[in-house]
Amino acid sequence: MRWASHANPLTIKALSLVPSYRTYRQMYTLLQQSQWWSREELAAYQAQALSRLLDHAYENVPYYRRVFRERRLVPGDIRAPGDLELLPFLTKEIVQANLPDLKARNYPETAFEYVRTSGSTGTPMGFYYEKGVSRAREWAFMKTQWDRVGYRFTDRCVVLRGHVVDAASRGVYWRRALFGRWLIMSSHQMTEEALPAYIHWIRKFKPRFIHAYPSTAVILARYMREHGIEPFPTVKAVLCGSENLYPWQRSLLTETFGCRVFSWYGNSEQTVLAGECEESTHYHIFPEYSIVELIGRDDRPVRGPGAMGEVVATSLTNFVCPLIRYRTMDVAVATEKQCSCGRQYPLLEKVEGRLQEFIVTRSGHPISVTPINYESEAFENIRQFQMYQEEKGELIMKVVRKSAYTEEDTRQLTRELRWQLGDEVNVHVRFVDEIPRTEGGKFRYLIQKLPISIGDL
């Protein structure tokens, strides 16, 4: 085994940020102060940022000029985040149909960087970042989050996030990036045969952090647990993002790696960002980043403890392609609690995941896959699995078997899922040789083909 020596996208991306270091530094410096502001100070900042955004959108973005005129509004009619209800929601379909008119006219064409979402909700979408600025600003927020678990730019970090390593055909499943400080490992070659080499090189690299999709880290953790492999002594925390972190995954990773599992929630559209802190697993929403609403049935705000709703977000940082009241199709639960860390940020108690991560019963009732315990004995002889649904009350469980798998495992799996999902879901087990990841290297535990809206919850 040896290192791949050629340049890689993350190093190129890091170097491309150098001209935008000033943007990064300004945002990072602000966040070091603002994270300790009072609620009144944060509210004042949000109100000012929102006013600036709306004035800009009205003057320079044709789509929003049209929306304001159709509703006989001017930006001054919206004085606080609560007044955003005067404006309509923005959906992925609306963005796709109106993308040219969502581009701000006061920016040169060279300022626009076209980006596409991965389509994990079933609807891929194109939109724009501000070239050289949006990514630098995003890094400032991410670094501020990672500061909470002690991350420094000089730290060594193993990355397991869906990358494809060009040299994998030669038996090299990793490459260095960010001047040798990051070890990027392919998530597409994590087989029983290759995993010992992964573990060997991680241990030799001596990382302080593992930055991973939860589903990818789970592959490594399960192998280590099954073979009695000790944790990596240098790893201080596992940084999990870009996929929902399920409770069973957090437990498995914490136990196997013997360290803190830190999670955050965001999206490619950069409309919402929230992360855990030093003292709790609640997601702290950055009020400097966006304004977040939770809506339920009839598209009205949800109220009360434990109320679940769809995340609707207004980005306060993207002026080249403003996304105002954007429906993320993500589902979360808010809480009125205040975190003991001292930050006065609004909190999400938990993120349930995408709307498409609910199983629909025979009577049309949706069940979140989040609470399902995939670490029970029923899954012991299963190497991989994926649920699939295209009919109400009918769930197909695709299973990649281990060599010890028997018919009794099928009966136990069926009983377990019936117990967790109830009598209104029939489970059908189908055996497959492999379960592919998405193009971006993510793993979807449920492929949901039925249409689900927040009104169904």
Side-chain angles (χ1 to χ4, degrees):
M1 300 291 179
R2 60 185 178 83
W3 303 106
S5 60
H6 58 281
N8 62 78
L10 274 179
T11 297
I12 295 169
K13 184 185 292 184
L15 291 173
S16 72
L17 290 179
V18 173
S20 300
Y21 177 74
R22 189 176 188 180
T23 298
Y24 162 82
R25 195 71 214 175
Q26 286 175 341
M27 192 75 248
Y28 182 76
T29 300
L30 169 68
L31 292 171
Q32 301 317 293
Q33 303 165 5
S34 62
Q35 65 179 317
W36 305 116
W37 283 353
S38 66
R39 289 192 178 184
E40 292 74 22
E41 289 173 307
L42 289 169
Y45 177 91
Q46 267 203 339
Q48 185 179 30
L50 177 60
S51 175
R52 180 168 163 257
L53 173 72
L54 295 176
D55 285 343
H56 162 75
Y58 182 78
E59 292 295 332
N60 302 297
V61 183
Y63 173 80
Y64 287 111
R65 172 64 71 95
R66 189 164 66 245
V67 166
F68 272 97
R69 285 180 171 174
E70 286 172 354
R71 301 218 164 193
R72 297 181 180 180
L73 296 171
V74 293
D77 294 325
I78 301 171
R79 300 175 182 273
D83 297 330
L84 280 169
E85 291 182 33
L86 295 170
L87 295 176
F89 295 117
L90 184 70
T91 65
K92 297 179 189 297
E93 292 77 16
I94 292 174
V95 172
Q96 290 302 84
N98 295 273
L99 189 56
D101 283 347
L102 279 164
K103 296 174 67 175
R105 296 296 188 257
N106 61 330
Y107 282 84
E109 197 59 36
T110 54
F112 294 89
E113 177 188 351
Y114 183 71
V115 182
R116 282 181 66 84
T117 64
S118 63
S120 57
T121 61
T123 308
M125 186 188 84
F127 59 99
Y128 293 97
Y129 286 166
E130 184 178 353
K131 188 176 293 184
V133 173
S134 293
R135 296 183 187 277
R137 193 176 283 127
E138 185 81 0
W139 264 109
F141 281 95
M142 291 303 301
K143 177 62 167 62
T144 300
Q145 287 192 126
W146 292 1
D147 284 347
R148 300 170 192 169
V149 286
Y151 177 83
R152 302 163 301 191
F153 279 133
T154 54
D155 287 329
R156 290 190 167 205
C157 185
V158 164
V159 181
L160 287 165
R161 285 177 52 85
H163 296 93
V164 176
V165 176
D166 296 336
S169 61
R170 303 197 303 271
V172 181
Y173 307 130
W174 39 80
R175 60 177 176 242
R176 288 190 187 241
L178 290 180
F179 314 105
R181 291 196 293 272
W182 282 20
L183 180 63
I184 299 173
M185 309 193 84
S186 174
S187 62
H188 295 266
Q189 281 82 28
M190 297 180 74
T191 63
E192 289 280 311
E193 295 74 26
L195 279 170
Y198 277 72
I199 292 167
H200 168 76
W201 282 105
I202 292 172
R203 206 174 291 279
K204 185 172 182 178
F205 187 66
K206 298 180 180 178
R208 196 159 180 255
F209 294 93
I210 295 176
H211 180 201
Y213 290 156
S215 63
T216 307
V218 159
I219 295 173
L220 185 64
R222 276 183 164 158
Y223 183 89
M224 292 173 66
R225 185 184 63 181
E226 289 173 8
H227 293 82
I229 297 172
E230 291 294 314
F232 305 109
T234 57
V235 174
K236 182 176 181 180
V238 182
L239 310 172
C240 287
S242 304
E243 291 177 346
N244 195 20
L245 177 67
Y246 299 113
W248 66 270
Q249 291 175 320
R250 185 189 294 275
S251 297
L252 172 64
L253 298 179
T254 301
E255 177 187 343
T256 305
F257 293 119
C259 64
R260 168 72 191 270
V261 175
F262 176 85
S263 178
W264 71 94
Y265 158 62
N267 58 21
S268 300
E269 299 92 315
Q270 295 188 352
T271 60
V272 57
L273 187 63
E276 298 172 2
C277 73
E278 306 89 336
E279 299 189 18
S280 83
T281 56
H282 286 140
Y283 291 90
H284 297 52
I285 301 170
F286 278 109
E288 308 93 336
Y289 192 93
S290 64
I291 294 168
V292 174
E293 309 168 61
L294 285 187
I295 62 165
R297 294 178 183 273
D298 303 321
D299 294 339
R300 301 296 300 163
V302 296
R303 299 277 189 260
M308 184 167 59
E310 181 184 353
V311 176
V312 173
T314 297
S315 172
L316 297 174
T317 62
N318 187 350
F319 277 60
V320 298
C321 182
L323 300 178
I324 299 172
R325 300 204 80 201
Y326 176 71
R327 299 189 72 145
T328 64
M329 298 179 69
D330 295 330
V331 179
V333 177
T335 176
E336 294 297 321
K337 294 177 182 177
Q338 184 174 325
C339 187
S340 59
C341 70
R343 296 177 183 86
Q344 302 299 309
Y345 286 178
L347 303 177
L348 295 175
E349 184 175 319
K350 57 183 175 179
V351 178
E352 290 285 354
R354 309 288 190 190
L355 277 170
Q356 294 306 112
E357 291 180 320
F358 284 77
I359 296 167
V360 183
T361 68
R362 200 174 303 114
S363 61
H365 176 68
I367 301 175
S368 172
V369 301
T370 300
I372 297 176
N373 178 20
Y374 301 117
E375 283 297 293
S376 70
E377 289 184 5
F379 291 84
E380 186 175 346
N381 288 323
I382 294 174
R383 190 170 308 287
Q384 280 185 300
F385 66 91
Q386 184 179 65
M387 295 170 286
Y388 180 93
Q389 185 174 33
E390 58 183 4
E391 294 181 43
K392 289 182 179 180
E394 304 295 325
L395 183 70
I396 297 170
M397 175 67 83
K398 297 179 180 179
V399 169
V400 178
R401 295 169 287 186
K402 293 182 182 178
S403 57
Y405 190 98
T406 67
E407 282 299 315
E408 178 55 33
D409 289 300
T410 300
R411 289 190 286 269
Q412 188 175 1
L413 176 64
T414 304
R415 286 195 301 267
E416 176 77 14
L417 290 174
R418 190 71 174 266
W419 179 78
Q420 296 197 46
L421 298 174
D423 294 335
E424 285 207 344
V425 178
N426 295 322
V427 178
H428 310 276
V429 177
R430 292 185 183 172
F431 302 119
V432 296
D433 293 330
E434 64 175 342
I435 296 173
R437 290 179 173 266
T438 67
E439 188 177 333
K442 296 181 181 180
F443 186 85
R444 297 172 63 185
Y445 286 98
L446 172 64
I447 304 295
Q448 179 55 269
K449 294 297 185 180
L450 296 173
I452 302 176
S453 70
I454 191 64
D456 298 322
L457 304 186

